[in-house]
């Protein structure tokens, strides 16, 4: 009886491991893809933050190399991301009694073209956007800018990951 239970447990465990082989623990399915190509995303927004393109591209590359078993390549990747940063704007969000802004919002928008050589039906071109609110009495420099970019880029790249390999 013990041998039968051990055998069944082994079969279930092996089946689970094999069945989840194409999935990462983050929930992303990369199918048979082995490589990923993430091109540089130039900043084509009317208002330009000098480090934004490099930071965004690096954050997206880091996310995919951390959460999948894909190898990052410079060309001919099984999965391919390209696009551009199309929006970087600061807008007032709420007013004080003196009719001045109490809070501002930084919004960043990125246009992404995703190509999956293995499953062409998954290909898309979409815009992803997120924002960060900050007090109007603070300038968007130094630590405030760093915090804003970190939060926005983390959210946008996670949304891109979910739309492409997590199929959300």
């Amino acid at each position: 009886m013990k041998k039968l239970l051990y055998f069944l447990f082994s079969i279930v465990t092996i089946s689970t491991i094999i069945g989840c082989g194409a999935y990462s623990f983050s929930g992303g399915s990369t199918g048979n893809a082995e490589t990923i190509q993430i091109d540089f995303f130039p900043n084509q927004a009317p208002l330009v933050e000098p480090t934004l393109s490099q930071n965004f591209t690096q954050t997206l590359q880091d996310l995919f190399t951390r959460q999948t078993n894909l190898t990052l390549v410079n060309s001919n990747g099984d999965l391919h991301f390209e696009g551009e940063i199309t929006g970087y704007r600061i807008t007032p969000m709420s007013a004080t009694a003196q009719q001045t802004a109490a809070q501002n919002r930084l919004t960043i928008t990125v246009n992404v073209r995703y190509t999956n050589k293995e499953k062409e039906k998954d290909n898309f071109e979409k815009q992803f956007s997120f924002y960060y609110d900050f007090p109007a009495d603070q300038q968007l420099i130094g630590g405030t800018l760093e915090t804003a970019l970190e939060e926005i880029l983390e959210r946008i790249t996670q949304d891109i990951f979910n739309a492409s390999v997590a199929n959300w």
Side-chain angles (χ1 to χ4, degrees):
M1 182 68 173
K2 270 187 174 180
K3 287 183 180 182
L4 179 62
L5 287 174
Y6 179 74
F7 178 74
L8 289 174
F9 177 75
S10 297
I11 295 295
V12 169
T13 302
I14 290 170
S15 297
T16 302
I17 291 171
I18 291 171
C20 295
Y23 294 90
S24 70
F25 288 108
S26 63
S29 171
T30 57
N32 295 327
E34 295 177 359
T35 59
I36 186 168
Q37 175 184 343
I38 300 175
D39 293 346
F40 183 76
F41 280 71
N43 192 341
Q44 297 178 351
L47 182 60
V48 174
E49 169 58 39
T51 62
L52 183 58
S53 289
Q54 183 64 38
N55 286 346
F56 174 77
T57 303
Q58 188 66 50
T59 302
L60 187 60
Q61 290 173 343
D62 289 347
L63 177 68
F64 275 90
T65 55
R66 257 191 348 263
Q67 293 193 9
T68 68
N69 58 353
L70 298 170
T71 302
L72 188 62
V73 296
N74 291 327
S75 63
N76 205 24
D78 296 329
L79 307 181
H80 182 205
F81 290 90
E82 60 184 330
E84 53 280 331
I85 297 166
T86 58
Y88 181 95
R89 70 178 187 278
I90 301 168
T91 53
M93 291 308 298
S94 59
T96 65
Q98 293 78 28
Q99 305 258 336
T100 60
Q103 193 172 35
N104 289 329
R105 174 173 286 179
L106 169 63
T107 304
I108 296 176
T109 304
V110 180
N111 187 54
V112 177
R113 289 176 296 282
Y114 169 67
T115 306
N116 183 335
K117 287 184 180 179
E118 304 291 321
K119 292 173 70 177
E120 290 186 14
K121 69 175 182 70
D122 289 348
N123 296 354
F124 64 76
E125 181 170 359
K126 291 183 184 178
Q127 288 199 341
F128 296 87
S129 184
F130 199 67
Y131 61 89
Y132 178 81
D133 293 336
F134 61 98
D137 62 354
Q138 291 182 358
Q139 289 189 3
L140 196 56
I141 58 173
T144 304
L145 176 61
E146 198 173 298
T147 301
L149 291 179
E150 186 176 300
E151 186 172 315
I152 292 170
L153 296 184
E154 180 181 332
R155 179 61 180 268
I156 291 174
T157 56
Q158 190 63 54
D159 288 347
I160 293 168
F161 181 88
N162 290 342
S164 58
V165 297
N167 296 323
W168 286 11

